Amino acid sequence: KAGVTQTPRYLIKTRGQQVTLSCSPISGHRSVSWYQQTPGQGLQFLFEYFSETQRNKGNFPGRFSGRQFSNSRSEMNVSTLELGDSALYLCASSSDDWRWNTEAFFGQGTRLTVV
Amino acid sequence: DAKTTQPTSMDCAEGRAANLPCNHSTISGNEYVYWYRQIHSQGPQYIIHGLKNNETNEMASLIITEDRKSSTLILPHATLRDTAVYYCIGSYSTLTFGKGTMLLVSP
């Protein structure tokens, strides 16, 4: 059974540009969550999608957005990149809301560097 | 949402049991306690979760106090590959994983 796949693994962008990251969840999983990880702030929740609908949202500016397709694959987009957006972006998939007695499986992440 | 408190770091000798504590005194009645770990530069890995009863799987055991205000993750025979950051999370808390406990297993 294939795991969670995130692409690309590494990315370098310039301030002001936008970026799109992709996450393919485990087959059959309908929930996809996104996290940002930085050395100073740790793992912080961005948003969660379930069956193409955003179900939960963290405390991030509107420059961060996402969507989920009918095949459960998800993308997140960051517009007008800032240096502080440099981070490891992680995607997690689960069969349902992982908070209710089911585990989440994480991808290896996309390392974004903004210069 | 349960706020969890964990020690910043812990050491353990290879082959010995590693006992990682977590305080979650504000946990809600139906809120699960989850444990994940993250090895450097990799995505977090699920370890175990529980509600009220103690749980055991092939990776670890989870001991939850009767009042559910704290729990302990036990790695029965720690190996060097168990060196990682361990996160304890209340299941209502999607907002942040916190800083976790850095477990260093030494030869």
Side-chain angles (χ1 to χ4, degrees):
Chain A
K1 191 173 183 179
V4 180
T5 303
Q6 291 189 247
T7 56
R9 289 292 310 278
Y10 302 93
L11 205 50
I12 299 175
K13 288 286 189 178
T14 304
R15 270 183 302 174
Q17 286 186 312
Q18 74 163 15
V19 66
T20 299
L21 312 181
S22 178
C23 172
S24 293
I26 291 171
S27 178
H29 284 189
R30 295 188 296 169
S31 170
V32 174
S33 299
W34 288 90
Y35 290 81
Q36 181 195 66
Q37 186 171 34
T38 58
Q41 298 297 320
L43 261 165
Q44 294 203 294
F45 172 75
L46 281 156
F47 28 65
E48 183 220 357
Y49 286 87
F50 183 84
S51 294
E52 302 179 67
T53 300
Q54 187 180 86
R55 194 159 61 172
N56 292 289
K57 188 177 188 304
N59 188 26
F60 277 81
R63 299 186 297 108
F64 293 81
S65 63
R67 60 178 175 169
Q68 187 179 33
F69 302 95
S70 58
N71 62 358
S72 293
R73 189 178 71 86
S74 177
E75 289 181 346
M76 69 162 281
N77 183 278
V78 188
S79 62
T80 319
L81 283 165
E82 301 175 359
L83 294 179
D85 296 332
S86 295
L88 179 66
Y89 289 88
L90 291 156
C91 160
S93 88
S94 61
S95 56
D96 204 326
D97 191 331
W98 71 269
R99 295 172 293 176
W100 300 101
N101 199 23
T102 185
E103 63 262 35
F105 297 87
F106 282 81
Q108 294 291 68
T110 294
R111 173 76 61 186
L112 171 66
T113 302
V114 182
V115 298
Chain B
D1 294 4
K3 180 173 171 55
T4 60
T5 304
Q6 299 177 254
T8 303
S9 63
M10 294 183 66
D11 294 325
C12 180
E14 190 177 20
R16 304 297 292 269
N19 297 286
L20 292 88
C22 177
N23 181 289
H24 36 77
S25 58
T26 60
I27 198 167
S28 301
N30 292 322
E31 190 172 2
Y32 287 83
V33 177
Y34 279 81
W35 284 82
Y36 285 79
R37 72 180 183 185
Q38 187 174 25
I39 296 169
H40 184 62
S41 296
Q42 295 183 21
Q45 176 191 24
Y46 166 81
I47 302 173
I48 198 167
H49 73 282
L51 183 62
K52 296 178 182 177
N53 300 322
N54 298 337
E55 302 287 346
T56 296
N57 62 21
E58 65 278 5
M59 288 184 69
S61 294
L62 175 61
I63 308 297
I64 303 174
T65 58
E66 194 170 340
D67 62 9
R68 301 209 330 119
K69 292 182 183 301
S70 65
S71 62
T72 300
L73 178 75
I74 301 172
L75 307 178
H77 305 287
T79 71
L80 299 179
R81 287 177 292 183
D82 291 323
T83 291
V85 177
Y86 287 77
Y87 298 98
C88 164
I89 323 159
S91 62
Y92 290 178
S93 303
T94 58
L95 299 179
T96 179
F97 271 45
K99 301 295 177 66
T101 296
M102 176 65 221
L103 175 68
L104 177 61
V105 181
S106 303

